[in-house]
Amino acid sequence: MLARQCNSDAQTFRPTVLVHGGAGAIRDENVANARLGVKRAASKGYEALQQTGSVLDAVEEAVRLMEENPMFNAGYGSVLTWEGDVEMDASIMHGAHLEAGCVSLARDIMHPISLARLIMAKTPHLYMAGEGAMRLAAAQGFNILPKGALVTEKALKHLEMFKTNSNRTQGGQLYGPPGTVGAVAIDACGNVAAATSTGGLMGKLPGRIGDSSVLGAGTYADNESGAISATGHGETIMRFNVASRILTLVQHGNQTMQQATEHVLQQMTKRFNETAGAIAIDHRGQLGIYFTSRRMSWAYQQANELHSGIDAGEDVVEIVGEAPNV
Ligand code: GLY
């Protein structure tokens, strides 16, 4: 399917940017900042969509803002490997041509999501990792930070607590920010995109790769079915192929995006006793927002409405000013 060109005749969808700041046990004292972080990200992504008309710009800009926010487990704020380093995964995908870029084991850069997009745009490859990916980043002018610059005091403290606690259940999310970040977007013509970025699981072995950079697991976008970004226990999300399953139910199972998202995540949690969350927009512009974890921060902007939530069933709506369709 070709990218749909937006013109006045074709504007049948409500442009929307929906983001999440991660599923998990967000502590009460972090709820306000997590909500603020996702609301700002949704607005930033929506602004990008209005300015450039690109769903890729929308999801990248939304994720970049959350990568800079130590509230979330991505970019600055990433959780640490067992050895105390930051190793990040990210991916981005456009639903028109199924073009995508994925990166794993990214280090010392603030914006792995932009490196994923660069891999998509400027290399013949889809997925790069480790040293080669970092050499590409340096050659393409990324700001390579001093070693350790992404390691926050909070992340160090959480790793220490994690190492000394014998109960490391729930995918290592017992301590630290449960906060893989992601975004999905749709434009007025029905083009969709998805992006996900993460520091992974706290205390992971160096070299471990999670679901966020894996298409069909943590991220997917197809104009014929929709766009998804997942968050939660990566090993389980990959085994259950969460994004693909949700989109298959929408495309072939006659389910709404909300029904499909709920069904797949409930099945996953029932089968593996691990939790996850997902945000999704289907090819008709309908949304899916669901999590089996205790909480998940999310927000979306649609015209002048900014919606957000953290607890199950919550949907707070604010009016943020008139926004023309794009
Ligand atoms: N969902 C993030 C990870 O497991 O890496």
Side-chain angles (χ1 to χ4, degrees):
M1 180 185 291
L2 294 175
R4 296 172 177 134
Q5 294 303 310
C6 279
N7 57 49
S8 53
D9 295 337
Q11 296 197 353
T12 50
F13 301 90
R14 296 182 76 191
T16 306
V17 179
L18 166 61
V19 309
H20 69 75
I26 301 168
R27 292 166 186 244
D28 291 345
E29 64 265 31
N30 292 331
V31 161
N33 279 334
R35 184 191 299 276
L36 190 62
V38 288
K39 283 192 328 190
R40 283 183 173 154
S43 291
K44 179 85 178 170
Y46 193 81
E47 193 183 298
L49 185 57
Q50 284 184 292
Q51 281 173 357
T52 71
S54 161
V55 283
L56 275 181
D57 289 347
V59 294
E60 182 186 3
E61 287 301 321
V63 166
R64 279 175 66 96
L65 199 64
M66 291 186 283
E67 286 175 333
E68 289 167 14
N69 186 340
M71 195 64 225
F72 301 116
N73 174 16
Y76 185 66
S78 289
V79 298
L80 305 181
T81 68
W82 187 261
E83 294 179 0
D85 296 319
V86 168
E87 292 184 350
M88 301 167 288
D89 303 331
S91 63
I92 190 165
M93 186 166 190
H94 193 294
H97 302 286
L98 308 188
E99 287 170 328
C102 310
V103 65
S104 286
L105 309 177
R107 294 167 161 268
D108 306 323
I109 55 169
M110 185 68 85
H111 297 300
I113 197 64
S114 296
L115 182 53
R117 185 165 178 185
L118 183 108
I119 290 166
M120 177 179 82
K122 296 215 170 151
T123 79
H125 310 305
L126 185 140
Y127 201 147
M128 294 181 70
E131 199 194 323
M134 298 324 299
R135 280 215 302 265
L136 175 72
Q140 291 290 327
F142 272 63
N143 182 19
I144 307 298
L145 304 167
K147 192 169 160 42
L150 295 175
V151 176
T152 64
E153 283 301 316
K154 188 167 76 172
L156 280 169
K157 193 178 104 197
H158 289 151
L159 180 66
E160 202 51 45
M161 290 161 75
F162 177 79
K163 283 185 170 182
T164 53
N165 194 304
S166 57
N167 181 9
R168 298 186 192 125
T169 56
Q170 299 183 15
Q173 294 186 35
L174 191 57
Y175 296 110
T180 289
V181 304
V184 292
I186 188 166
D187 69 16
C189 300
N191 293 297
V192 297
T196 311
S197 181
T198 190
L201 292 187
M202 169 141 36
K204 65 187 180 181
L205 295 176
R208 178 264 187 193
I209 294 168
D211 62 297
S212 301
S213 53
V214 177
L215 302 185
T219 305
Y220 204 77
D222 184 346
N223 280 5
E224 294 189 357
S225 50
I228 309 255
S229 173
T231 162
H233 188 237
E235 281 69 7
T236 310
I237 293 170
M238 286 188 281
R239 288 165 80 190
F240 209 54
N241 218 8
V242 162
S244 284
R245 278 183 196 249
I246 293 172
L247 291 175
T248 300
L249 283 180
V250 168
Q251 198 172 6
H252 304 295
N254 206 23
Q255 296 205 12
T256 67
M257 189 52 109
Q258 185 62 34
Q259 287 169 337
T261 305
E262 289 184 19
H263 180 80
V264 170
L265 293 177
Q266 284 168 1
Q267 291 297 309
M268 188 206 91
T269 293
K270 195 167 150 196
R271 193 150 163 192
F272 297 98
N273 198 27
E274 289 282 1
T275 62
I279 54 167
I281 296 183
D282 74 15
H283 57 302
R284 297 163 297 233
Q286 292 178 354
L287 308 186
I289 302 166
Y290 191 68
F291 46 97
T292 56
S293 50
R294 183 167 158 237
R295 284 174 160 155
M296 179 179 80
S297 56
W298 61 267
Y300 70 87
Q301 184 164 352
Q302 200 171 55
N304 63 345
E305 288 186 7
L306 182 60
H307 294 245
S308 64
I310 289 190
D311 290 307
E314 190 186 13
D315 183 357
V316 177
V317 190
E318 295 163 55
I319 303 302
V320 290
E322 282 302 318
N325 269 2
V326 288

